[in-house]
Amino acid sequence: MTLEQAFFVQALAAYIQGKPDIRVPGGWESLDWPQLLQYARTQNLAGIFYVQCRDNLSRIPALQSILEELHAGFVSEAAHSVARQQDLAQLEQHLTQAEIPFLPFKGSVLSQCYPAPQLRTMGDTDFLIRGKDRLQDLAQLEQHLTQAEIPFL
């Protein structure tokens, strides 16, 4: 594992654990920040990485462009998360109106364990409905939504 990979994992772990500071042997300037930025973008974790690193990066003039790019990722991920939460609220409303029992899980539930839930990125919204009622429930759900994904059919 490279120094940058180890630092990236350490920074994410520190974020989840609520630890504000990360020590870097050789100093923060010794890290390959373009590579770290690429890790953050690739994993859709620029927002979390920004929150965890912003105080230290703000003290290093040479890394201001990295800080700005991470901040842009932070804003984008937070906006995306808010939109996903609105989608989930709308989905819950439609399922309730259609009298379809459901259980949200994965990202939407796990996000509540994060220090800033809006930084938990999600690509989709996962929920369970009863298997025996799946086709009937999906038919009802399609009446309420403009598009429904039908997994495993």
Side-chain angles (χ1 to χ4, degrees), residues 1 3-15 36 49:
M1 184 179 287
L3 178 62
E4 284 71 26
Q5 290 168 333
F7 176 78
F8 189 71
V9 170
Q10 181 184 8
L12 298 176
Y15 172 81
L36 286 163
F49 201 60

PDB file of all heavy atoms in Angstrom, residues 1 3-15 36 49:
ATOM      1  N   MET A   1       0.849  -1.173   0.000  1.00  0.00           N
ATOM      2  CA  MET A   1       0.000   0.000   0.000  1.00  0.00           C
ATOM      3  C   MET A   1       0.894   1.235   0.000  1.00  0.00           C
ATOM      4  O   MET A   1       1.836   1.335   0.783  1.00  0.00           O
ATOM      5  CB  MET A   1      -0.900  -0.024   1.244  1.00  0.00           C
ATOM      6  CG  MET A   1      -1.896   1.102   1.303  1.00  0.00           C
ATOM      7  SD  MET A   1      -3.008   1.093   2.742  1.00  0.00           S
ATOM      8  CE  MET A   1      -4.094  -0.248   2.338  1.00  0.00           C
ATOM      9  N   LEU A   3       1.919   5.307   0.433  1.00  0.00           N
ATOM     10  CA  LEU A   3       1.696   6.292   1.494  1.00  0.00           C
ATOM     11  C   LEU A   3       0.357   7.001   1.276  1.00  0.00           C
ATOM     12  O   LEU A   3      -0.408   7.220   2.222  1.00  0.00           O
ATOM     13  CB  LEU A   3       2.846   7.303   1.517  1.00  0.00           C
ATOM     14  CG  LEU A   3       2.739   8.435   2.539  1.00  0.00           C
ATOM     15  CD1 LEU A   3       2.721   7.884   3.966  1.00  0.00           C
ATOM     16  CD2 LEU A   3       3.881   9.426   2.359  1.00  0.00           C
ATOM     17  N   GLU A   4       0.049   7.325   0.012  1.00  0.00           N
ATOM     18  CA  GLU A   4      -1.208   8.023  -0.292  1.00  0.00           C
ATOM     19  C   GLU A   4      -2.421   7.130  -0.029  1.00  0.00           C
ATOM     20  O   GLU A   4      -3.424   7.594   0.519  1.00  0.00           O
ATOM     21  CB  GLU A   4      -1.214   8.501  -1.749  1.00  0.00           C
ATOM     22  CG  GLU A   4      -0.349   9.720  -1.996  1.00  0.00           C
ATOM     23  CD  GLU A   4       1.150   9.422  -1.921  1.00  0.00           C
ATOM     24  OE1 GLU A   4       1.550   8.266  -2.163  1.00  0.00           O
ATOM     25  OE2 GLU A   4       1.916  10.341  -1.613  1.00  0.00           O
ATOM     26  N   GLN A   5      -2.336   5.867  -0.399  1.00  0.00           N
ATOM     27  CA  GLN A   5      -3.450   4.948  -0.128  1.00  0.00           C
ATOM     28  C   GLN A   5      -3.672   4.805   1.370  1.00  0.00           C
ATOM     29  O   GLN A   5      -4.813   4.852   1.844  1.00  0.00           O
ATOM     30  CB  GLN A   5      -3.178   3.583  -0.768  1.00  0.00           C
ATOM     31  CG  GLN A   5      -3.254   3.601  -2.273  1.00  0.00           C
ATOM     32  CD  GLN A   5      -2.704   2.322  -2.893  1.00  0.00           C
ATOM     33  OE1 GLN A   5      -1.844   1.648  -2.324  1.00  0.00           O
ATOM     34  NE2 GLN A   5      -3.209   1.996  -4.078  1.00  0.00           N
ATOM     35  N   ALA A   6      -2.591   4.645   2.105  1.00  0.00           N
ATOM     36  CA  ALA A   6      -2.703   4.509   3.559  1.00  0.00           C
ATOM     37  C   ALA A   6      -3.298   5.784   4.169  1.00  0.00           C
ATOM     38  O   ALA A   6      -4.155   5.725   5.054  1.00  0.00           O
ATOM     39  CB  ALA A   6      -1.336   4.204   4.166  1.00  0.00           C
ATOM     40  N   PHE A   7      -2.846   6.931   3.703  1.00  0.00           N
ATOM     41  CA  PHE A   7      -3.364   8.205   4.216  1.00  0.00           C
ATOM     42  C   PHE A   7      -4.852   8.337   3.892  1.00  0.00           C
ATOM     43  O   PHE A   7      -5.639   8.763   4.740  1.00  0.00           O
ATOM     44  CB  PHE A   7      -2.590   9.384   3.622  1.00  0.00           C
ATOM     45  CG  PHE A   7      -3.147  10.717   4.044  1.00  0.00           C
ATOM     46  CD1 PHE A   7      -2.867  11.229   5.299  1.00  0.00           C
ATOM     47  CD2 PHE A   7      -3.964  11.430   3.189  1.00  0.00           C
ATOM     48  CE1 PHE A   7      -3.396  12.447   5.703  1.00  0.00           C
ATOM     49  CE2 PHE A   7      -4.499  12.658   3.578  1.00  0.00           C
ATOM     50  CZ  PHE A   7      -4.206  13.162   4.832  1.00  0.00           C
ATOM     51  N   PHE A   8      -5.237   7.986   2.683  1.00  0.00           N
ATOM     52  CA  PHE A   8      -6.638   8.096   2.271  1.00  0.00           C
ATOM     53  C   PHE A   8      -7.530   7.251   3.175  1.00  0.00           C
ATOM     54  O   PHE A   8      -8.543   7.725   3.688  1.00  0.00           O
ATOM     55  CB  PHE A   8      -6.775   7.676   0.803  1.00  0.00           C
ATOM     56  CG  PHE A   8      -8.125   7.948   0.219  1.00  0.00           C
ATOM     57  CD1 PHE A   8      -8.538   9.244  -0.042  1.00  0.00           C
ATOM     58  CD2 PHE A   8      -8.984   6.911  -0.082  1.00  0.00           C
ATOM     59  CE1 PHE A   8      -9.782   9.501  -0.595  1.00  0.00           C
ATOM     60  CE2 PHE A   8     -10.236   7.154  -0.626  1.00  0.00           C
ATOM     61  CZ  PHE A   8     -10.636   8.454  -0.889  1.00  0.00           C
ATOM     62  N   VAL A   9      -7.140   6.017   3.411  1.00  0.00           N
ATOM     63  CA  VAL A   9      -7.916   5.132   4.284  1.00  0.00           C
ATOM     64  C   VAL A   9      -7.931   5.686   5.705  1.00  0.00           C
ATOM     65  O   VAL A   9      -8.976   5.697   6.372  1.00  0.00           O
ATOM     66  CB  VAL A   9      -7.354   3.694   4.241  1.00  0.00           C
ATOM     67  CG1 VAL A   9      -7.984   2.818   5.307  1.00  0.00           C
ATOM     68  CG2 VAL A   9      -7.564   3.088   2.854  1.00  0.00           C
ATOM     69  N   GLN A  10      -6.787   6.151   6.179  1.00  0.00           N
ATOM     70  CA  GLN A  10      -6.703   6.711   7.524  1.00  0.00           C
ATOM     71  C   GLN A  10      -7.604   7.942   7.667  1.00  0.00           C
ATOM     72  O   GLN A  10      -8.279   8.119   8.680  1.00  0.00           O
ATOM     73  CB  GLN A  10      -5.252   7.081   7.839  1.00  0.00           C
ATOM     74  CG  GLN A  10      -5.041   7.647   9.223  1.00  0.00           C
ATOM     75  CD  GLN A  10      -3.607   8.101   9.469  1.00  0.00           C
ATOM     76  OE1 GLN A  10      -2.785   8.129   8.560  1.00  0.00           O
ATOM     77  NE2 GLN A  10      -3.312   8.465  10.697  1.00  0.00           N
ATOM     78  N   ALA A  11      -7.637   8.788   6.645  1.00  0.00           N
ATOM     79  CA  ALA A  11      -8.470   9.987   6.686  1.00  0.00           C
ATOM     80  C   ALA A  11      -9.955   9.620   6.748  1.00  0.00           C
ATOM     81  O   ALA A  11     -10.724  10.207   7.511  1.00  0.00           O
ATOM     82  CB  ALA A  11      -8.194  10.877   5.476  1.00  0.00           C
ATOM     83  N   LEU A  12     -10.363   8.634   5.973  1.00  0.00           N
ATOM     84  CA  LEU A  12     -11.769   8.214   5.981  1.00  0.00           C
ATOM     85  C   LEU A  12     -12.137   7.580   7.319  1.00  0.00           C
ATOM     86  O   LEU A  12     -13.219   7.846   7.860  1.00  0.00           O
ATOM     87  CB  LEU A  12     -12.037   7.253   4.835  1.00  0.00           C
ATOM     88  CG  LEU A  12     -11.828   7.830   3.431  1.00  0.00           C
ATOM     89  CD1 LEU A  12     -12.041   6.749   2.378  1.00  0.00           C
ATOM     90  CD2 LEU A  12     -12.710   9.035   3.180  1.00  0.00           C
ATOM     91  N   ALA A  13     -11.257   6.764   7.857  1.00  0.00           N
ATOM     92  CA  ALA A  13     -11.505   6.148   9.165  1.00  0.00           C
ATOM     93  C   ALA A  13     -11.599   7.223  10.246  1.00  0.00           C
ATOM     94  O   ALA A  13     -12.476   7.168  11.118  1.00  0.00           O
ATOM     95  CB  ALA A  13     -10.412   5.140   9.497  1.00  0.00           C
ATOM     96  N   ALA A  14     -10.722   8.200  10.193  1.00  0.00           N
ATOM     97  CA  ALA A  14     -10.746   9.284  11.176  1.00  0.00           C
ATOM     98  C   ALA A  14     -12.047  10.083  11.077  1.00  0.00           C
ATOM     99  O   ALA A  14     -12.607  10.497  12.088  1.00  0.00           O
ATOM    100  CB  ALA A  14      -9.540  10.206  10.970  1.00  0.00           C
ATOM    101  N   TYR A  15     -12.544  10.266   9.872  1.00  0.00           N
ATOM    102  CA  TYR A  15     -13.821  10.972   9.682  1.00  0.00           C
ATOM    103  C   TYR A  15     -14.952  10.217  10.374  1.00  0.00           C
ATOM    104  O   TYR A  15     -15.720  10.802  11.138  1.00  0.00           O
ATOM    105  CB  TYR A  15     -14.118  11.132   8.183  1.00  0.00           C
ATOM    106  CG  TYR A  15     -15.495  11.678   7.916  1.00  0.00           C
ATOM    107  CD1 TYR A  15     -15.738  13.044   8.017  1.00  0.00           C
ATOM    108  CD2 TYR A  15     -16.549  10.835   7.584  1.00  0.00           C
ATOM    109  CE1 TYR A  15     -17.016  13.548   7.793  1.00  0.00           C
ATOM    110  CE2 TYR A  15     -17.822  11.339   7.355  1.00  0.00           C
ATOM    111  CZ  TYR A  15     -18.051  12.697   7.458  1.00  0.00           C
ATOM    112  OH  TYR A  15     -19.313  13.182   7.244  1.00  0.00           O
ATOM    113  N   LEU A  36      -4.262  11.786  -4.449  1.00  0.00           N
ATOM    114  CA  LEU A  36      -5.297  11.728  -3.418  1.00  0.00           C
ATOM    115  C   LEU A  36      -6.617  12.312  -3.923  1.00  0.00           C
ATOM    116  O   LEU A  36      -7.694  11.761  -3.655  1.00  0.00           O
ATOM    117  CB  LEU A  36      -4.837  12.464  -2.157  1.00  0.00           C
ATOM    118  CG  LEU A  36      -3.782  11.722  -1.342  1.00  0.00           C
ATOM    119  CD1 LEU A  36      -3.097  12.662  -0.366  1.00  0.00           C
ATOM    120  CD2 LEU A  36      -4.416  10.550  -0.616  1.00  0.00           C
ATOM    121  N   PHE A  49     -13.561  13.689   2.273  1.00  0.00           N
ATOM    122  CA  PHE A  49     -12.126  13.962   2.279  1.00  0.00           C
ATOM    123  C   PHE A  49     -11.881  15.462   2.500  1.00  0.00           C
ATOM    124  O   PHE A  49     -10.964  15.847   3.226  1.00  0.00           O
ATOM    125  CB  PHE A  49     -11.505  13.466   0.976  1.00  0.00           C
ATOM    126  CG  PHE A  49     -10.036  13.236   1.048  1.00  0.00           C
ATOM    127  CD1 PHE A  49      -9.502  12.315   1.937  1.00  0.00           C
ATOM    128  CD2 PHE A  49      -9.182  13.926   0.221  1.00  0.00           C
ATOM    129  CE1 PHE A  49      -8.129  12.100   2.003  1.00  0.00           C
ATOM    130  CE2 PHE A  49      -7.819  13.714   0.274  1.00  0.00           C
ATOM    131  CZ  PHE A  49      -7.288  12.809   1.168  1.00  0.00           C
TER     132      PHE A  49
END
